[in-house]
Amino acid sequence: MSKRIGTLFHETFPLSRPGIAAVLRQANGKLSLKELIEILCEEENLGRNWAKAVPSYARACGLMEFGSTQLTSLGLHVQEHDPALSLPATLWLMHYHLCAPQGPGPRFWHDLIVRVPQVQQPFRKSDVVTEIERSVLAESGTTLKDRGVESTATIFLGSYTKSDALGPLELLSENGGEYAFETPDAPPTGVFAYALSHYWQSQLPSQQTCTMEDFSVPGGFGSLFSMGSFHVNRALRQLARQGVLELWMAAPPYQVTRPPTPEKLLEGIYAVE
C-alpha cells in the first residue's frame, strides 16, 4: 500500500475501538470527510477533535479508504462480522495495518513495533520518544516539536494498554511508568493468512515464492506479531494444510508459494479454528 497516514493524525487521542466503530456505522462513501465528522459529532456524540481523529484511525487500521469515506473491503467485512470491533481477529488486523511496513499506518508505528522490543526491557516513555524522533527524521528529514513527539508517544502507549483500544491483545504491559513488550498468543490463522498476503503484495510484489525463513527474520513479518520462527513456521504449515499456500520442503531452504490476494482471504478471518 503506497499511502500511509501522517505522524500527527491522532489529534492527541489514543486509538478507541468505540470511536472507530462509530466511523464504520456512519461512513458510506457518499459523504465528504467534513460531513462524516459532523455526523460523528451530532449522531454519535463524539467531541469535535475526537471526531476528527477517528476517521484517520479507521484509515490507519485499514478499514476506510484514503481520499473518501468509503470502507475498504476489509472494513465492510469487519462491519458485517464484528461491528463492535471486539473480537481478537479484528484487533490483530487493526494492529497489523497500523504497523505494516508500507502503511496504511504511520511510519513511526512500524518502527516502534520492530525496534522498541530490541531496546532494554522494560523501557520508559522517553525511549519511545527517542524512537519516534529517529523515525520522523529518517522519513522526512525534519523533526517534530517536543509537544508533538510527547503526545505521539502517549497515544502509542495508550493504544496498547487501554481496554477499549488494543489492550486486550496483551502485547504491551505497564507497571509504574515502565513498559514491556510481551509475547501474546499468536493471531488466528485466518488473520495470519490475510496479513501475510497483504505483506507479500507490498514487500515481495514480483516474487511467487520465498523461503520460510524470510518471514521470521528480526524486523520482518513475524516481528509484527511478536512471533518467533517456531510459531511462524507452524502457522505456515497450518495454511498449507488448509490449501491456502504450498510449502516445498524436499530440501532446504524450504520454500513458500504466494498466497491468494487479501480480498480472497476475507472469509477465513473469522472462521472457527
Side-chain angles (χ1 to χ4, degrees):
M1 184 174 293
S2 59
K3 292 184 178 180
R4 72 184 324 148
I5 211 79
T7 301
L8 299 178
F9 73 98
H10 48 79
E11 301 283 342
T12 74
F13 288 93
L15 185 149
S16 162
R17 286 185 284 118
I20 298 173
V23 173
L24 298 193
R25 285 193 294 272
Q26 300 296 343
N28 58 25
K30 298 178 181 179
L31 299 170
S32 68
L33 179 58
K34 182 179 180 180
E35 290 171 331
L36 175 59
I37 291 171
E38 291 297 329
I39 289 175
L40 291 173
C41 291
E42 295 172 4
E43 298 189 18
E44 301 288 347
N45 297 315
L46 302 189
R48 174 68 55 178
N49 288 340
W50 193 13
K52 290 180 180 178
V54 286
S56 294
Y57 271 107
R59 286 177 176 145
C61 291
L63 304 175
M64 193 168 79
E65 300 283 0
F66 280 81
S68 80
T69 58
Q70 177 64 47
L71 299 184
T72 62
S73 56
L74 175 63
L76 291 169
H77 193 69
V78 169
Q79 174 64 1
E80 179 182 356
H81 293 274
D82 183 22
L85 311 183
S86 60
L87 297 177
T90 304
L91 274 64
W92 273 121
L93 282 171
M94 293 167 67
H95 159 77
Y96 166 74
H97 282 94
L98 281 163
C99 67
Q102 289 191 333
R107 164 71 182 268
F108 78 83
W109 211 291
H110 167 76
D111 291 349
L112 289 174
I113 291 296
V114 299
R115 286 183 59 90
V116 174
Q118 308 306 318
V119 306
Q120 182 177 354
Q121 300 282 331
F123 60 92
R124 303 189 71 85
K125 179 182 172 181
S126 58
D127 297 307
V128 177
V129 167
T130 298
E131 292 300 330
I132 292 172
E133 290 174 332
R134 185 201 307 269
S135 177
V136 172
L137 184 62
E139 180 181 32
S140 64
T142 61
T143 58
L144 293 177
K145 294 181 179 180
D146 290 346
R147 183 178 178 183
V149 179
E150 288 284 336
S151 66
T152 300
T154 298
I155 69 98
F156 176 82
L157 295 169
S159 293
Y160 285 100
T161 53
K162 292 181 178 295
S163 61
D164 66 346
L166 300 177
L169 292 179
E170 299 183 341
L171 189 63
L172 190 67
S173 63
E174 188 271 335
N175 182 23
E178 292 189 331
Y179 300 85
F181 273 95
E182 306 295 342
T183 303
D185 293 336
T189 304
V191 169
F192 185 93
Y194 180 95
L196 178 68
S197 177
H198 182 276
Y199 182 91
W200 199 308
Q201 278 190 340
S202 66
Q203 300 298 103
L204 307 162
S206 62
Q207 292 184 224
Q208 295 304 309
T209 65
C210 63
T211 69
M212 292 177 70
E213 289 78 10
D214 288 338
F215 297 116
S216 54
V217 296
F221 178 74
S223 295
L224 304 180
F225 295 105
S226 294
M227 296 172 69
S229 59
F230 173 81
H231 291 97
V232 169
N233 292 344
R234 184 172 67 176
L236 290 172
R237 290 188 176 95
Q238 288 176 321
L239 295 182
R241 287 194 293 270
Q242 295 171 8
V244 173
L245 47 75
E246 293 181 56
L247 299 180
W248 297 347
M249 304 182 69
Y254 303 136
Q255 300 289 309
V256 183
T257 65
R258 186 175 188 138
T261 63
E263 290 72 22
K264 292 182 179 179
L265 296 170
L266 285 170
E267 293 303 322
I269 290 174
Y270 297 108
V272 177
E273 297 186 9

